[in-house]
Amino acid sequence: MFYKDERLALFIDGSNLYAAAKALGFDIDYKLLRSEFMRRGKLLRAFYYTALLENDEYSPIRPLVDWLNYNGFTMVTKPAKEYTDSQGRRKVKGNMDIELTVDAMELAPRVDHIVIFSGDGDFRPLVESLQRQGVRVSVVSTIRSQPPMIADELRRQADNFIELDELRDVIGRPPREPRLEQNELAVEVK
């Protein structure tokens, strides 16, 4: 439930939202996402949190980060940490929970409603604290994936749970047309 005159802030856990959308089989159009929540209330801020690999020459997320930065999102990034696990596999760690939590707590006195795009159960105490400050909290994630992407305790704590799959038609990118193979494009000449 949203009210037109309420001050909104979005807090997007980038890797969590990406994983949830991928599990549902669609890509997020962030321009549409921002427009949708501007329509639902007075959008004060839209934060996007992600860790970046600093040592790679090209990061696949860099174009998205740059686009979001130029299109009304407040970007919060930090270098990801790389390590090798016990099986010798290269792993990347870049948890942004603390940054998101601190920003939400600082902004809480200035907003009426916070929307958290994450299913991470670690955010339950944050939601509880925001609610004690009089802020309504919606959580966007999915229970329609296998396994569900939202922790049950987070879903129960939120004032409102928004199923990501139900936003697909509003914030999803249209599916790309399948590319035709070269031989399918050849025209028969007689």
Side-chain angles (χ1 to χ4, degrees):
M1 174 66 94
F2 288 83
Y3 303 105
K4 288 276 187 207
D5 62 337
E6 70 183 353
R7 296 164 301 169
L8 290 175
L10 309 181
F11 291 84
I12 302 168
D13 177 346
S15 62
N16 197 286
L17 179 59
Y18 173 80
K22 186 175 179 178
L24 293 170
F26 75 99
D27 291 326
I28 305 289
D29 182 323
Y30 288 95
K31 187 174 188 176
L32 293 176
L33 183 147
R34 192 166 175 275
S35 295
E36 173 61 19
F37 286 90
M38 286 174 72
R39 188 184 63 73
R40 291 184 182 205
K42 295 176 182 172
L43 184 61
L44 298 185
R45 291 278 179 280
F47 292 92
Y48 186 95
Y49 298 82
T50 191
L52 296 171
L53 283 172
E54 297 296 330
N55 59 352
D56 283 359
E57 286 180 29
Y58 172 77
S59 171
I61 196 166
R62 177 53 70 186
L64 173 63
V65 168
D66 291 343
W67 187 91
L68 291 170
N69 203 23
Y70 282 104
N71 287 277
F73 287 81
T74 301
M75 298 305 303
V76 182
T77 62
K78 73 177 179 186
K81 306 242 188 297
E82 280 188 81
Y83 66 97
T84 305
D85 70 8
S86 58
Q87 281 82 37
R89 294 179 299 217
R90 181 178 163 228
K91 295 282 189 167
V92 177
K93 184 177 183 188
N95 193 316
M96 300 292 292
D97 293 3
I98 297 297
E99 290 82 355
L100 189 152
T101 298
V102 169
D103 289 346
M105 294 298 290
E106 286 180 348
L107 199 59
R110 295 168 187 84
V111 296
D112 304 306
H113 192 160
I114 284 179
V115 183
I116 300 172
F117 290 78
S118 181
D120 189 336
D122 290 344
F123 289 124
R124 191 199 58 73
L126 168 63
V127 172
E128 208 172 23
S129 177
L130 292 169
Q131 291 168 330
R132 283 193 303 269
Q133 295 179 61
V135 177
R136 292 179 344 104
V137 182
S138 293
V139 174
V140 180
S141 190
T142 186
I143 57 172
R144 295 186 183 164
S145 60
Q146 284 304 324
M149 298 292 289
I150 186 164
D152 193 50
E153 63 271 17
L154 179 62
R155 185 173 173 217
R156 289 173 189 267
Q157 186 66 50
D159 294 300
N160 186 27
F161 168 68
I162 301 171
E163 170 58 53
L164 181 60
D165 198 32
E166 291 176 8
L167 291 176
R168 178 192 304 251
D169 293 341
V170 181
I171 67 167
R173 261 205 231 133
R176 292 190 178 138
E177 292 294 319
R179 294 183 62 191
L180 296 174
E181 294 299 318
Q182 190 68 30
N183 58 1
E184 293 177 58
L185 294 174
V187 177
E188 195 174 317
V189 180
K190 291 187 182 183

mmCIF file of all heavy atoms in Angstrom, residues 75-95:
data_model
loop_
_atom_site.group_PDB
_atom_site.id
_atom_site.type_symbol
_atom_site.label_atom_id
_atom_site.label_comp_id
_atom_site.label_asym_id
_atom_site.label_seq_id
_atom_site.Cartn_x
_atom_site.Cartn_y
_atom_site.Cartn_z
ATOM 1 N N MET A 75 24.588 5.932 -6.082
ATOM 2 C CA MET A 75 25.383 4.705 -6.119
ATOM 3 C C MET A 75 26.233 4.584 -4.858
ATOM 4 O O MET A 75 26.902 5.537 -4.461
ATOM 5 C CB MET A 75 26.297 4.693 -7.343
ATOM 6 C CG MET A 75 25.547 4.709 -8.658
ATOM 7 S SD MET A 75 24.353 3.373 -8.822
ATOM 8 C CE MET A 75 25.395 1.955 -8.601
ATOM 9 N N VAL A 76 26.193 3.396 -4.260
ATOM 10 C CA VAL A 76 27.040 3.100 -3.119
ATOM 11 C C VAL A 76 27.811 1.838 -3.496
ATOM 12 O O VAL A 76 27.224 0.774 -3.665
ATOM 13 C CB VAL A 76 26.224 2.880 -1.830
ATOM 14 C CG1 VAL A 76 27.156 2.629 -0.648
ATOM 15 C CG2 VAL A 76 25.311 4.071 -1.554
ATOM 16 N N THR A 77 29.120 2.012 -3.693
ATOM 17 C CA THR A 77 29.952 0.887 -4.122
ATOM 18 C C THR A 77 31.151 0.758 -3.190
ATOM 19 O O THR A 77 31.497 1.694 -2.477
ATOM 20 C CB THR A 77 30.476 1.075 -5.566
ATOM 21 O OG1 THR A 77 31.302 2.243 -5.603
ATOM 22 C CG2 THR A 77 29.334 1.223 -6.562
ATOM 23 N N LYS A 78 31.735 -0.407 -3.216
ATOM 24 C CA LYS A 78 33.001 -0.625 -2.524
ATOM 25 C C LYS A 78 33.715 -1.750 -3.250
ATOM 26 O O LYS A 78 33.093 -2.541 -3.961
ATOM 27 C CB LYS A 78 32.803 -0.938 -1.044
ATOM 28 C CG LYS A 78 32.252 -2.297 -0.725
ATOM 29 C CD LYS A 78 32.177 -2.483 0.778
ATOM 30 C CE LYS A 78 31.608 -3.828 1.158
ATOM 31 N NZ LYS A 78 31.403 -3.972 2.596
ATOM 32 N N PRO A 79 35.029 -1.808 -3.080
ATOM 33 C CA PRO A 79 35.769 -2.883 -3.750
ATOM 34 C C PRO A 79 35.374 -4.249 -3.205
ATOM 35 O O PRO A 79 35.229 -4.423 -1.993
ATOM 36 C CB PRO A 79 37.234 -2.583 -3.425
ATOM 37 C CG PRO A 79 37.264 -1.188 -2.913
ATOM 38 C CD PRO A 79 35.907 -0.892 -2.365
ATOM 39 N N ALA A 80 35.183 -5.189 -4.106
ATOM 40 C CA ALA A 80 34.910 -6.567 -3.698
ATOM 41 C C ALA A 80 36.221 -7.217 -3.282
ATOM 42 O O ALA A 80 37.286 -6.861 -3.782
ATOM 43 C CB ALA A 80 34.278 -7.330 -4.854
ATOM 44 N N LYS A 81 36.116 -8.152 -2.391
ATOM 45 C CA LYS A 81 37.299 -8.890 -1.949
ATOM 46 C C LYS A 81 37.329 -10.234 -2.677
ATOM 47 O O LYS A 81 36.328 -10.929 -2.743
ATOM 48 C CB LYS A 81 37.229 -9.143 -0.447
ATOM 49 C CG LYS A 81 37.027 -7.869 0.358
ATOM 50 C CD LYS A 81 38.181 -7.644 1.278
ATOM 51 C CE LYS A 81 37.985 -6.520 2.234
ATOM 52 N NZ LYS A 81 37.821 -5.224 1.770
ATOM 53 N N GLU A 82 38.490 -10.553 -3.243
ATOM 54 C CA GLU A 82 38.662 -11.843 -3.917
ATOM 55 C C GLU A 82 39.442 -12.781 -3.022
ATOM 56 O O GLU A 82 40.360 -12.360 -2.329
ATOM 57 C CB GLU A 82 39.447 -11.649 -5.216
ATOM 58 C CG GLU A 82 38.628 -11.136 -6.356
ATOM 59 C CD GLU A 82 39.427 -11.164 -7.635
ATOM 60 O OE1 GLU A 82 39.512 -12.252 -8.237
ATOM 61 O OE2 GLU A 82 39.961 -10.111 -8.007
ATOM 62 N N TYR A 83 39.058 -14.052 -3.053
ATOM 63 C CA TYR A 83 39.797 -15.064 -2.305
ATOM 64 C C TYR A 83 39.626 -16.412 -2.986
ATOM 65 O O TYR A 83 38.765 -16.586 -3.852
ATOM 66 C CB TYR A 83 39.343 -15.122 -0.845
ATOM 67 C CG TYR A 83 37.912 -15.587 -0.654
ATOM 68 C CD1 TYR A 83 37.640 -16.919 -0.357
ATOM 69 C CD2 TYR A 83 36.848 -14.707 -0.772
ATOM 70 C CE1 TYR A 83 36.331 -17.354 -0.182
ATOM 71 C CE2 TYR A 83 35.542 -15.129 -0.607
ATOM 72 C CZ TYR A 83 35.288 -16.460 -0.301
ATOM 73 O OH TYR A 83 34.001 -16.883 -0.144
ATOM 74 N N THR A 84 40.441 -17.365 -2.590
ATOM 75 C CA THR A 84 40.359 -18.723 -3.122
ATOM 76 C C THR A 84 39.851 -19.623 -2.003
ATOM 77 O O THR A 84 40.404 -19.619 -0.898
ATOM 78 C CB THR A 84 41.742 -19.200 -3.607
ATOM 79 O OG1 THR A 84 42.232 -18.237 -4.547
ATOM 80 C CG2 THR A 84 41.644 -20.557 -4.270
ATOM 81 N N ASP A 85 38.759 -20.359 -2.280
ATOM 82 C CA ASP A 85 38.204 -21.221 -1.238
ATOM 83 C C ASP A 85 39.020 -22.501 -1.075
ATOM 84 O O ASP A 85 40.019 -22.701 -1.761
ATOM 85 C CB ASP A 85 36.720 -21.506 -1.490
ATOM 86 C CG ASP A 85 36.455 -22.409 -2.681
ATOM 87 O OD1 ASP A 85 37.406 -22.968 -3.263
ATOM 88 O OD2 ASP A 85 35.270 -22.569 -3.033
ATOM 89 N N SER A 86 38.605 -23.372 -0.165
ATOM 90 C CA SER A 86 39.368 -24.586 0.156
ATOM 91 C C SER A 86 39.471 -25.558 -1.018
ATOM 92 O O SER A 86 40.371 -26.391 -1.057
ATOM 93 C CB SER A 86 38.757 -25.291 1.365
ATOM 94 O OG SER A 86 37.407 -25.616 1.100
ATOM 95 N N GLN A 87 38.559 -25.450 -2.000
ATOM 96 C CA GLN A 87 38.630 -26.292 -3.198
ATOM 97 C C GLN A 87 39.419 -25.631 -4.325
ATOM 98 O O GLN A 87 39.464 -26.144 -5.439
ATOM 99 C CB GLN A 87 37.221 -26.639 -3.719
ATOM 100 C CG GLN A 87 36.519 -27.742 -2.950
ATOM 101 C CD GLN A 87 35.857 -27.225 -1.682
ATOM 102 O OE1 GLN A 87 35.334 -26.134 -1.662
ATOM 103 N NE2 GLN A 87 35.929 -28.013 -0.611
ATOM 104 N N GLY A 88 40.003 -24.481 -4.040
ATOM 105 C CA GLY A 88 40.813 -23.796 -5.043
ATOM 106 C C GLY A 88 40.010 -22.957 -6.025
ATOM 107 O O GLY A 88 40.542 -22.480 -7.021
ATOM 108 N N ARG A 89 38.722 -22.744 -5.753
ATOM 109 C CA ARG A 89 37.877 -21.935 -6.635
ATOM 110 C C ARG A 89 37.998 -20.460 -6.265
ATOM 111 O O ARG A 89 38.055 -20.109 -5.088
ATOM 112 C CB ARG A 89 36.409 -22.362 -6.520
ATOM 113 C CG ARG A 89 36.147 -23.761 -7.040
ATOM 114 C CD ARG A 89 34.705 -24.116 -6.863
ATOM 115 N NE ARG A 89 34.400 -24.086 -5.423
ATOM 116 C CZ ARG A 89 33.574 -24.931 -4.815
ATOM 117 N NH1 ARG A 89 32.945 -25.855 -5.490
ATOM 118 N NH2 ARG A 89 33.353 -24.842 -3.521
ATOM 119 N N ARG A 90 38.000 -19.613 -7.289
ATOM 120 C CA ARG A 90 38.066 -18.160 -7.077
ATOM 121 C C ARG A 90 36.685 -17.676 -6.639
ATOM 122 O O ARG A 90 35.677 -17.960 -7.290
ATOM 123 C CB ARG A 90 38.478 -17.490 -8.378
ATOM 124 C CG ARG A 90 38.601 -15.991 -8.267
ATOM 125 C CD ARG A 90 39.062 -15.412 -9.606
ATOM 126 N NE ARG A 90 38.809 -14.003 -9.634
ATOM 127 C CZ ARG A 90 38.218 -13.365 -10.619
ATOM 128 N NH1 ARG A 90 37.848 -14.006 -11.706
ATOM 129 N NH2 ARG A 90 38.025 -12.068 -10.563
ATOM 130 N N LYS A 91 36.635 -16.975 -5.531
ATOM 131 C CA LYS A 91 35.374 -16.462 -4.997
ATOM 132 C C LYS A 91 35.487 -14.959 -4.822
ATOM 133 O O LYS A 91 36.570 -14.413 -4.629
ATOM 134 C CB LYS A 91 35.071 -17.084 -3.626
ATOM 135 C CG LYS A 91 34.829 -18.574 -3.659
ATOM 136 C CD LYS A 91 33.457 -18.868 -4.158
ATOM 137 C CE LYS A 91 33.136 -20.335 -3.988
ATOM 138 N NZ LYS A 91 31.746 -20.591 -4.174
ATOM 139 N N VAL A 92 34.339 -14.289 -4.876
ATOM 140 C CA VAL A 92 34.279 -12.846 -4.699
ATOM 141 C C VAL A 92 33.300 -12.556 -3.573
ATOM 142 O O VAL A 92 32.204 -13.119 -3.537
ATOM 143 C CB VAL A 92 33.815 -12.148 -5.999
ATOM 144 C CG1 VAL A 92 33.677 -10.659 -5.787
ATOM 145 C CG2 VAL A 92 34.784 -12.440 -7.125
ATOM 146 N N LYS A 93 33.690 -11.686 -2.656
ATOM 147 C CA LYS A 93 32.827 -11.320 -1.545
ATOM 148 C C LYS A 93 32.688 -9.805 -1.521
ATOM 149 O O LYS A 93 33.678 -9.093 -1.600
ATOM 150 C CB LYS A 93 33.431 -11.820 -0.235
ATOM 151 C CG LYS A 93 32.563 -11.566 0.959
ATOM 152 C CD LYS A 93 33.185 -12.138 2.212
ATOM 153 C CE LYS A 93 32.229 -11.908 3.365
ATOM 154 N NZ LYS A 93 32.808 -12.257 4.634
ATOM 155 N N GLY A 94 31.460 -9.340 -1.411
ATOM 156 C CA GLY A 94 31.236 -7.896 -1.373
ATOM 157 C C GLY A 94 29.915 -7.561 -0.722
ATOM 158 O O GLY A 94 28.994 -7.091 -1.366
ATOM 159 N N ASN A 95 29.795 -7.808 0.559
ATOM 160 C CA ASN A 95 28.558 -7.589 1.289
ATOM 161 C C ASN A 95 28.343 -6.099 1.551
ATOM 162 O O ASN A 95 29.232 -5.429 2.064
ATOM 163 C CB ASN A 95 28.628 -8.369 2.603
ATOM 164 C CG ASN A 95 27.294 -8.464 3.287
ATOM 165 O OD1 ASN A 95 26.569 -7.490 3.360
ATOM 166 N ND2 ASN A 95 26.981 -9.631 3.795
#
